[in-house]
Amino acid sequence: MPPSKTGLTKALKTEAARLGFAACGVTRADAVDGRAALQSWIDAGQHGSMAWMVDRADQRAAPQSLWPDALSVIALGMSYAPAQDPLRLAGEGGIGRISVYAQGADYHDVVKRNLKALARWLVATAGGELKVFVDTAPVMEKPLGQSAGIGWQGKHTNLVSREHGSWLFLGCIMTTLDLDPDDSHADSCGSCDACQRACPTDAFPAPYRLDARRCISYLTIEHKGPIPHEFRAAIGNRIYGCDDCLAVCPWNKFADAAQANRAFVGRPELAAPELSDLLALDDAGFRAVFSGSPIKRIGRERMVRNAAIAAGNSGSMALIEPLRRLLSDESATVAEAADWALAALSVPLCAGSSPPRS
């Protein structure tokens, strides 16, 4: 006899926990419609150059626009709570800061593998059709997570959990099964504005709204070409992403690093990389260092560009020669960043050096 709706949902959560998911909830596929908010954000240009946010906006805004046959959405979260303070390396001049989420294995691979395992269990147990998603399809995981009760979308626009703070990788399973839904999670930010005050580039024009064009995570990861000069000093030594708005959230005091998936424990070489090593990377070296990491997706040009900007903010004279060598880099973006960094260090172009190409 197949389990009841309530019994199936309970068994589903047990299996999800066994597979390493710290949070699991269910919502109806028609419970979330973010068309108005998403369109307002796009109309304001706050998506920056992320054209993929525009291209499939209708499908992104509502699950049944993406898959009309879906009746239920299973929202899942996998913890990557850090064991150390993500802000501990602020001001360490010769060191680059990498966002906590990117210091371990690529979450796309880890979360999707476990989503597929849970999906196989669900089909074997109750049948139905389903699709799995983790950050690679037009799905609004955060509003769905709030509707499914695993947390709420905080003022920094990321999901916040009472048990896991701001440190959850999100994924979801859409299914034709009519599952027993959970209650939506209430907003628990209250009057707190710590995340808003922590942002180095004032990327929050209002609570619950992010202007990606000013966000260090966007600038160091998604943005191609030269980073606007107005943000370079504020980037400091961040070379991939930014944890500031997440790290200051008071709900993180309940997050337990022991509950984090072991795959996301930071690799030693990514915990505090030397800028001098990053400035010396060629394409082959970049691929070798960042194999198996989500960082590999941005390519060598953006990483060395970011490292050059961090070097310019470092005050370290030891980075002058590595930067000078980049003035003739085949990438005009890298060469320009190196030129800026040398100027920031108050170092004139070396006689005979070639200025960056325009």
Side-chain angles (χ1 to χ4, degrees), residues 315-330:
S316 173
M317 298 299 105
L319 297 175
I320 292 174
E321 286 309 313
L323 286 167
R324 279 180 171 156
R325 287 192 287 272
L326 291 174
L327 292 174
S328 57
D329 194 86
E330 63 182 12

Side-chain angles (χ1 to χ4, degrees), residues 8 32 40 63 110 119 166 181 210 223-224 245 334 357:
L8 178 59
V32 171
S40 172
V110 176
S166 300
L210 173 71
H223 181 74
K224 298 178 181 178
C245 66
V334 168
R357 298 178 295 278

Side-chain angles (χ1 to χ4, degrees), residues 123-175:
V123 170
T125 302
E129 298 178 56
L130 51 77
K131 300 178 186 290
V132 302
F133 303 94
V134 53
D135 199 28
T136 52
V139 176
M140 297 181 73
E141 292 97 342
K142 291 176 284 189
L144 286 168
Q146 179 161 350
S147 181
I150 67 173
W152 70 96
Q153 198 165 356
K155 291 179 181 178
H156 51 31
T157 75
N158 288 281
L159 197 80
V160 185
S161 162
R162 286 178 176 270
E163 295 81 21
H164 309 290
S166 300
W167 313 114
L168 285 177
F169 288 126
L170 302 179
C172 69
I173 299 174
M174 294 186 190
T175 175

Side-chain angles (χ1 to χ4, degrees), residues 20-85:
F21 290 103
C24 177
V26 177
T27 186
R28 292 189 55 80
D30 60 0
V32 171
D33 190 332
R35 286 183 178 87
L38 179 60
Q39 194 59 52
S40 172
W41 185 66
I42 290 172
D43 289 345
Q46 292 173 341
H47 62 295
S49 62
M50 295 183 287
W52 42 270
M53 295 294 298
V54 180
D55 293 342
R56 301 177 70 181
D58 287 343
Q59 290 180 325
R60 185 178 301 277
Q64 289 184 325
S65 295
L66 178 61
W67 188 26
D69 292 338
L71 293 180
S72 304
V73 180
I74 305 161
L76 296 126
M78 191 171 283
S79 174
Y80 67 101
Q84 295 179 290
D85 179 6

Side-chain angles (χ1 to χ4, degrees), residues 169-251:
F169 288 126
L170 302 179
C172 69
I173 299 174
M174 294 186 190
T175 175
T176 56
L177 294 172
D178 185 16
L179 301 176
D180 197 24
D182 291 287
D183 293 332
S184 178
H185 201 299
D187 186 318
S188 297
C189 286
S191 61
C192 179
D193 64 350
C195 59
Q196 313 289 285
R197 291 183 284 108
C199 182
T201 52
D202 296 322
F204 298 106
Y208 309 102
R209 186 148 183 145
L210 173 71
D211 187 342
R213 298 167 297 183
R214 303 185 63 88
C215 175
I216 291 175
S217 285
Y218 167 82
L219 292 168
T220 57
I221 300 173
E222 300 290 346
H223 181 74
K224 298 178 181 178
I227 290 175
H229 283 233
E230 65 180 297
F231 303 121
R232 295 188 181 188
I235 285 173
N237 63 341
R238 302 170 186 84
I239 59 170
Y240 187 92
C242 178
D243 288 321
D244 291 32
C245 66
L246 301 181
V248 300
C249 178
W251 288 101

